[in-house]
Amino acid sequence: MSGNQFKRGELYSFITGVASTAIARRLQKNFKQHGIDITIEQWSVLYHLWKQDGQSQQELCNATFRDKPSITRLVDNLEKLKLVRRVASAEDRRINMICLSEAAHALRDQTMEMANQTLNEALGGVSTEEIEMCKSVLQRVYDNLK
Amino acid sequence: MSGNQFKRGELYSFITGVASTAIARRLQKNFKQHGIDITIEQWSVLYHLWKQDGQSQQELCNATFRDKPSITRLVDNLEKLKLVRRVASAEDRRINMICLSEAAHALRDQTMEMANQTLNEALGGVSTEEIEMCKSVLQRVYDNLK
DNA sequence: GACATATAGTTAGTTATGCAACTAATTCAA
DNA sequence: TTGAATTAGTTGCATAACTAACTATATGTC
């Protein structure tokens, strides 16, 4: 294994083992401390619904890079929490449109504020240029594999 | 929410939702296609044991950035697969030293080759400098939060 | 119209994660 | 030296992930 390949292995280890969980764990803890009982995964679905309400589960799969069973269960749990409801589409009855409840709308500002705080904390000492470059690299990795 | 903060939200989404799973999924698929029935998480533990055999579970926690119950269960499953065994330390009987079996040693070259192929594929069009920069950013993120 | 194919979503089974509470062994201090 | 605090590891519970197999609706072709 060449030196460079070893570094790539380390990057793999880092991407899958650290960066993907450290921010999530911190954000989860902040939610909990503020009495907000949703998981980060649930929040990431709400995040995309706040951008556009009424998306289908398939659209949420694409947006969150999850598979269909994962979204089915996240929506199940969000429904239990009365944060979303499934509304059958009139045009295509295979489709569930996922619609935010009033409670979910109310969560937006509160959690977005915490997310920003956490991300500012996490990204202390990281410049905007570096953030952009990371995004670009991660996008290329994703495109290479999809 | 300012423009920059929105970009940070997108980065969060990307880090937790894409980069952390795309490479892992591809590597998992490659393992399966070659008849290697271990999970990526199990592989990531073996990866650190190949670097140094006989580490304690706590050392594996630190190396893989997982908590103790996660390592307990990964070691449980690796033991079921007869890839490692727990050996009680003579000096400190609280400690399990995790030791690789012959079968696990044999897996090393085969899976490392696949990992390198997958990472080369994933990192196509990404320069060594960019990889280093990403590692540096992810390290700073981790340090900021730990 | 009827049958093949594709698409949206669900269910079952296994593995993994985080948290909290626990046991057992070790260390430190009065 | 005994009793408190620390450290290593395990167990229980809830949530989430992927794969494979499934149902139901829609589309397209003969």
Side-chain angles (χ1 to χ4, degrees):
Chain A
M1 187 159 64
S2 83
N4 187 47
Q5 282 172 325
F6 183 73
K7 283 174 189 165
R8 291 184 170 195
E10 295 297 306
L11 178 63
Y12 165 77
S13 208
F14 229 84
I15 289 177
T16 59
V18 180
S20 63
T21 58
I23 300 177
R25 257 195 306 240
R26 175 64 59 93
L27 193 48
Q28 181 79 71
K29 190 185 284 184
N30 286 2
F31 283 176
K32 190 161 202 175
Q33 283 172 346
H34 288 77
I36 297 175
D37 275 329
I38 59 174
T39 68
I40 293 305
E41 291 79 9
Q42 291 165 3
W43 181 81
S44 78
V45 171
L46 293 177
Y47 178 84
H48 289 282
L49 289 173
W50 287 322
K51 289 203 282 189
Q52 172 158 7
D53 199 0
Q55 295 187 60
S56 70
Q57 294 187 198
Q58 184 58 55
E59 287 170 327
L60 291 174
C61 291
N62 300 337
T64 63
F65 305 99
R66 290 182 171 88
D67 66 0
K68 286 194 287 186
S70 296
I71 290 296
T72 292
R73 273 160 191 141
L74 282 169
V75 171
D76 286 349
N77 286 332
L78 285 168
E79 252 189 342
K80 276 185 214 155
L81 294 169
K82 302 198 182 305
L83 292 171
V84 305
R85 60 183 204 287
R86 288 174 163 96
V87 178
S89 163
E91 293 89 45
D92 185 338
R93 287 186 315 173
R94 292 172 303 181
I95 293 177
N96 293 334
M97 295 183 303
I98 309 304
C99 298
L100 292 163
S101 70
E102 278 311 305
H105 282 296
L107 267 184
R108 179 186 165 136
D109 290 348
Q110 198 181 359
T111 58
M112 210 62 99
E113 178 66 24
M114 276 179 230
N116 283 333
Q117 280 174 13
T118 301
L119 284 161
N120 283 331
E121 195 180 341
L123 294 171
V126 180
S127 69
T128 305
E129 293 71 34
E130 286 175 313
I131 292 171
E132 285 307 308
M133 192 179 288
C134 277
K135 272 182 63 177
S136 148
V137 167
L138 296 171
Q139 181 69 56
R140 272 177 283 162
V141 167
Y142 180 71
D143 291 341
N144 283 340
L145 294 181
K146 84 178 171 194
Chain B
M1 186 160 68
S2 84
N4 188 48
Q5 284 172 324
F6 182 73
K7 284 175 189 165
R8 291 184 170 197
E10 296 296 307
L11 178 63
Y12 165 78
S13 209
F14 229 83
I15 289 176
T16 59
V18 180
S20 62
T21 59
I23 300 178
R25 257 195 305 240
R26 174 64 60 93
L27 193 48
Q28 180 81 72
K29 191 185 282 184
N30 286 2
F31 283 177
K32 189 161 202 174
Q33 283 172 347
H34 288 78
I36 298 173
D37 275 330
I38 59 174
T39 68
I40 293 305
E41 291 79 9
Q42 291 165 1
W43 181 81
S44 78
V45 171
L46 293 178
Y47 178 84
H48 289 281
L49 289 173
W50 286 322
K51 290 204 281 190
Q52 172 156 8
D53 199 2
Q55 295 187 62
S56 71
Q57 295 188 197
Q58 184 58 54
E59 287 170 327
L60 290 174
C61 290
N62 299 337
T64 64
F65 306 100
R66 290 182 170 87
D67 66 0
K68 285 194 287 184
S70 295
I71 290 295
T72 292
R73 278 155 189 147
L74 283 169
V75 171
D76 285 349
N77 286 334
L78 285 168
E79 252 189 342
K80 276 185 214 155
L81 294 170
K82 303 199 180 304
L83 292 171
V84 306
R85 60 184 203 286
R86 289 174 163 96
V87 178
S89 164
E91 291 89 46
D92 186 338
R93 287 186 316 173
R94 291 171 304 180
I95 294 177
N96 293 333
M97 295 183 302
I98 310 304
C99 298
L100 292 163
S101 70
E102 280 309 306
H105 282 295
L107 267 184
R108 180 187 164 137
D109 290 347
Q110 198 180 1
T111 58
M112 210 62 102
E113 178 66 24
M114 277 179 231
N116 283 333
Q117 280 175 13
T118 301
L119 284 161
N120 282 330
E121 195 181 341
L123 294 170
V126 180
S127 70
T128 305
E129 293 71 34
E130 286 175 314
I131 293 172
E132 285 306 307
M133 205 220 59
C134 278
K135 272 182 62 178
S136 147
V137 168
L138 295 172
Q139 181 71 56
R140 272 177 282 162
V141 167
Y142 179 71
D143 291 341
N144 283 339
L145 294 180
K146 82 179 170 193

